[in-house]
Amino acid sequence: MVKKICCIGAGYVGGPTMAVMALKCPEIEVSVVDISEPRINAWNSDKLPIYEPGLDDVVKQCRGKNLFFSTDVEKHVFESDIVFVSVNTPTKTQGLGAGKAADLTYWESAARMIADVSKSSKIVVEKSTVPVRTAEAIEKILTHNSKGIEFQILSNPEFLAEGTAVKDLYNPDRVLIGGRENAAGEKAVQALRDVYAHWVPVERIICTNLWSAELSKLAANAFLAQRISSVNAMSALCEATGADITQVAHAVGTDTRIGPKFLNASVGFGGSCFQKDILNLIYICECNGLPEAANYWKQVIKVNDYQKTRFANRVVSSMFNTVSGKKVAILGFAFKKDTGDTRETPAIDVCNRLVADKAKLSIYDPQVLEEQIRKDLSMARFDWDHPVSLQQIKAEGMLEQVSVVSDAYEATKDAHGICVLTEWDEFKSLDFKRIFESMRKPAFVFDGRNVVDAVKLREIGFIVYSIGKPLDSWLKNMPSVA
Ligand code: NAI
């Protein structure tokens, strides 16, 4: 019988996953531990460290009853029957595989600590997204340091999407559990299965071998990102031909073999996982002597980069090929709506590109703090997922061109153009008449998420660019943008 569960890593995955597990399994004590004191303090306060619809309510119901947040990592690992590991697995920035391979430093140190402090048998669960066969390495670390204690490793990758994490955790499409195909492995899989069976229908709990579970997570993210890059590549062709990407996506998505989801054209995908996991997949393909497979997946990232560059170039070329000294409002900085997460958000690339062209940016996002935006715009590639002490921050000078404000009307006042970079619902209902009146003319809107009503905005007087939609005559006459 599982009495106590602990999760190492109180991040976007560890926090919500364990909160829902605690709510659904009231007889199990669940502790979420982290080396970051500010993060744990925030989990214990009224202002949780991450914004997720519905999460406050779940945490309030269980915290202090059977859900605890603590920095006493060793104590909780020692006491637990099941230890989830949900630490960050960034892209390596240096050495072998830099820019592609997953950096397992944090994972390995967690595994060594588990081996050090354990005095009883434990099930160790990979919750983080890891390269295929990581479990084998972890198993070796644990067994070589185990002092005779038995560890079973399971892979239980998390499929939640930020912004809908609580909903996804309550009602997952599937729960995937990979384990060793022997009696001890099957017993461990059964124990974890019983935990999830408190609220997930058993037919949705898929059990596989370890390697299939590890690879399925990378594969799922690669397939999802590939759909976005496919529709985005199509959006460029729509703009060139007069087709409308929304109509094309609808026509394509009604084919039941394809399906309607994840077919929205946009300024590009972001988030902590897609790029990192595909780079990781590419590296694994290369290491296994499969360059054609690696190149196939590389293209998904290249199209995403192309889409961000194409968008920023469109902004500059439309505004007479110069944004130097012009105020440009940025509406939305998070990588998607309903999250404050900015990791790998396309807004970083678009803003950096406009700053390099000497634009003055006025940024507004309903959930992202100024400090975070400034940090994101100053950080070297891939550094965001490493500890603060290892992050390289660019010179402050660049950021003088950037201001962060607290509402959309302030951001757009006296601006020459507006870039909508996150699909926050509130941007749909802005008073665009008022905004138009306060802007310099001609007033441009570049909608990177296809959220504004372009017809209405054109009636008001805006020149509107919507991704993948037939172009305004103004934009048609401007130079090519690739
Ligand atoms: P995160 O960066 O928000 O959280 C990771 C936490 O682990 C940090 O708070 C860090 O302080 C802590 N940590 C690192 N080393 C530690 C150690 N040795 N002991 C104790 N705590 C330690 O990361 P996030 O987003 O929760 O992701 C975690 C993993 O889950 C990653 O592998 C990610 O790829 C994967 N994942 C993320 C999803 C997402 O939507 N964010 C979805 C599915 C999987």
Side-chain angles (χ1 to χ4, degrees), residues 84-89 103-112 114 124-130 134 138 141 153:
F84 286 84
V85 184
S86 180
V87 301
N88 30 333
T89 48
D103 185 343
L104 294 176
T105 311
Y106 313 106
W107 229 112
E108 183 174 335
S109 91
R112 287 184 185 280
I114 296 170
V124 176
V125 185
E126 287 177 343
K127 206 34 149 173
S128 304
T129 306
V130 290
T134 298
I138 302 303
I141 292 169
I153 319 292

Side-chain angles (χ1 to χ4, degrees), residues 451-462:
V451 287
V452 302
D453 183 339
V455 175
K456 245 195 202 154
L457 262 60
R458 287 190 183 113
E459 275 166 21
I460 294 173
F462 283 104

Side-chain angles (χ1 to χ4, degrees), residues 220-239:
N221 272 353
F223 276 49
L224 290 169
Q226 179 217 44
R227 276 176 83 96
I228 298 177
S229 280
S230 297
V231 79
N232 281 345
M234 216 48 88
S235 75
L237 190 56
C238 284
E239 288 166 30

